[in-house]
Amino acid sequence: MALSWLSKSVLAILLSVSLVDAAIPNAVGRNQLHIPKLGATENAVMTPNGTALPPITMVYQFDQLIDHNKPNIGTFKQRFWMNWEFYEKGGPIILLTPGETNADGFDGYLTNRSINGMIAQQEKGATVVIEHRFFGFSNPYDNLTSQSLEVLTIQQAIDDLVYFAQTIDLPMPGGDQVKPNQAHWVLIGGSYSGALTGWTMVNKPGVFRAGWASSAVVEAITNFYDLFKPIREHMPKNCSADVEAVISHLDWLYVTNNKTALQDLQNNFGLGKITHIEDFAAALVNNLYDWQMLQPGGGQQNFYRFCDALEVKDGVSASEKGWGLQNALESWGNFWNTSYYASLCGTVDAETCLGTYDATQPYYTDVSVNNAWRSWFWMMCNEVGWYQGGPPLGQPAIVSRIIQPSYFQARDPRQCVNMFPQRFQTSGTPDVQATNRKYGGWNIKVDRVFFANGLRDHWRDATLSADGLHKVSVASQPIYEGDGFHASDMDAKNGVVDASVLRVQQAGLRFMKGWLS
Ligand SMILES: *[C@@H]1O[C@H](CO)[C@@H](O)[C@H](O)[C@H]1NC(C)=O
Ligand SMILES: *[C@@H]1O[C@H](CO)[C@@H](O)[C@H](O)[C@H]1NC(C)=O
Ligand SMILES: *[C@@H]1O[C@H](CO)[C@@H](O)[C@H](O)[C@H]1NC(C)=O
Ligand SMILES: *[C@@H]1O[C@H](CO)[C@@H](O)[C@H](O)[C@H]1NC(C)=O
Ligand SMILES: *[C@@H]1O[C@H](CO)[C@@H](O)[C@H](O)[C@H]1NC(C)=O
Ligand SMILES: *[C@@H]1O[C@H](CO)[C@@H](O)[C@H](O)[C@H]1NC(C)=O
């Protein structure tokens, strides 16, 4: 969902463990925004009446149109998974795409460990997970060149969902009689796919009866420095104070063009060999991206390990002012030296792992399929932006202001241009106005979509719960906010441990009951 963009960084951890050992050394991972997986799978084996079910890990394939504007040019195989353990004749079909990621391992969203399965259980429905085009192994063409990616657009993704619903004979008893004019369909998504849920129902009304849009980033924004605001506001205060101290020191050295001190600073993190200061500044953001692994019901705790490293000294933690610049430099550098660099880059050297200036790197040139980062980059460069850099002067910064949208899109040339030279000659400036005009953005108005957000979600400022937006929740388009993180309401166990998330889940289930009756 989510995808980093700032640096070529970490995300392996984020995306999925299997990506960690991906073949491209410098594609170790990036901050993606997609929904989390729901842990190990368990198979339901029986329907309520005792019929045996195939395993939920069973992969099915759908013949999807390559180009909805040119239906004659053919089809490709789009992967999907399904579960009908709760299904009874007349029940709804509940459809999810995990969005910008390989959909393997998302079968938890077929079970009642997810909101999808909770709705299915309540409404006697069947659950389906479908892989998004150009992610995983659902590819119109067998490479990710600019030429092939021409048919990777939000509109084609919307049309895929609609064509699937209207065409599929689902592999379950009676599955050929559940088209949208015969049964209710519910579209669910989180993060980008949450936005896609709302956008689909705006763009193609009358197909999906209801929607659940979790942490739906409905507004495309080119310069999305506000990604870091919820992190800054909700992380331990001492930790944000010390991170700010280091960042403002870095930015001061940059503004005063103090080359010697900048080199010393890079050396302090063991990153002395990174050639461009922009890449060094971007590397530091990785520690903040670990925020996206947090969930009320657990999640990976790297973010807190980072803050503990900065703030706990001899068993004592700093007051909310932090320990100050000198200690922060030492402890943050030490954190990178002793563990973080290895977890991010393994044995790859710093410039190869974290540099973005060499257009000949596989990071830019590898066009093989199942490279979520590359496909997502295409969507960012063209339609949604969400470039994540430092805030304007005058706002507190936990990310360096050296990083601006140009770091990604233009100048030199930069990443969009390097990655897709056939598509972009001088700049990858996404047309976010067109995207927002077409699908509604923050002005989205659509009946029977339940918008669920989280106070601590770092993507919140692109959702309908953005600060300052004051979007009114109405019965036809409810907006609920718990104090969870990214797409927290989609995971049943977050409701078990956090009453505010439970309240969101229960409200959404009540709306579904009304909308599907
Ligand atoms: C979830 O579904 C399983 C069957 O797969 C069932 O045994 C269990 O009771 C359900 N959990 C809840 C909370 O209803
Ligand atoms: C990529 O796929 C397109 C469409 O199938 C094909 O025309 C082109 O030759 C392929 N390019 C590479 C570099 O594989
Ligand atoms: C059980 O339900 C399935 C549909 O899920 C149906 O095809 C089958 O005939 C039913 N079996 C019995 C014994 O009612
Ligand atoms: C560069 O920064 C260092 C460390 O802050 C400082 O001691 C030095 O005076 C600065 N040099 C210049 C030319 O500003
Ligand atoms: C200081 O940092 C520690 C370690 O991350 C954290 O547990 C504690 O809550 C923080 N205290 C304040 C006042 O920010
Ligand atoms: C990290 O390692 C580099 C050399 O690899 C060293 O110069 C630097 O002092 C170390 N930083 C800390 C904080 O230990």
Side-chain angles (χ1 to χ4, degrees), residues 229 460-461 465-471:
K229 195 176 59 179
R460 181 164 51 80
D461 274 344
S465 297
D467 283 341
L469 189 61
H470 306 302
K471 190 89 178 170

Side-chain angles (χ1 to χ4, degrees), residues 82-223:
M82 78 166 299
N83 177 15
W84 63 93
E85 64 172 306
F86 301 118
Y87 184 72
E88 287 180 22
K89 198 168 182 314
I93 309 301
I94 291 141
L95 178 65
L96 166 94
T97 173
E100 71 290 12
T101 181
N102 180 317
D104 276 321
F106 282 84
D107 34 278
Y109 287 92
L110 298 169
T111 73
N112 63 2
R113 285 178 295 131
S114 66
I115 196 64
N116 311 48
M118 292 163 79
I119 297 171
Q121 189 175 349
Q122 171 179 292
E123 301 296 330
K124 307 188 184 352
T127 49
V128 181
V129 167
I130 189 167
E131 192 165 62
H132 193 290
R133 64 166 53 211
F134 284 105
F135 291 89
F137 296 99
S138 296
N139 295 285
Y141 299 110
D142 66 2
N143 65 56
L144 303 178
T145 57
S146 298
Q147 181 192 352
S148 299
L149 290 166
E150 282 301 323
V151 287
L152 174 55
T153 62
I154 292 169
Q155 190 60 51
Q156 297 278 0
I158 288 174
D159 294 344
D160 284 350
L161 296 170
V162 168
Y163 185 72
F164 178 80
Q166 290 177 334
T167 316
I168 184 73
D169 288 340
L170 286 174
M172 68 172 191
D176 57 348
Q177 289 151 42
V178 289
K179 306 288 183 291
N181 58 355
Q182 299 165 306
H184 285 327
W185 280 65
V186 179
L187 188 58
I188 299 190
S191 197
Y192 156 64
S193 82
L196 191 61
T197 294
W199 295 339
T200 300
M201 290 179 64
V202 165
N203 186 253
K204 290 283 180 320
V207 179
F208 294 95
R209 169 72 186 173
W212 185 298
S214 174
S215 289
V217 285
V218 291
E219 178 84 356
I221 300 168
T222 303
N223 192 0

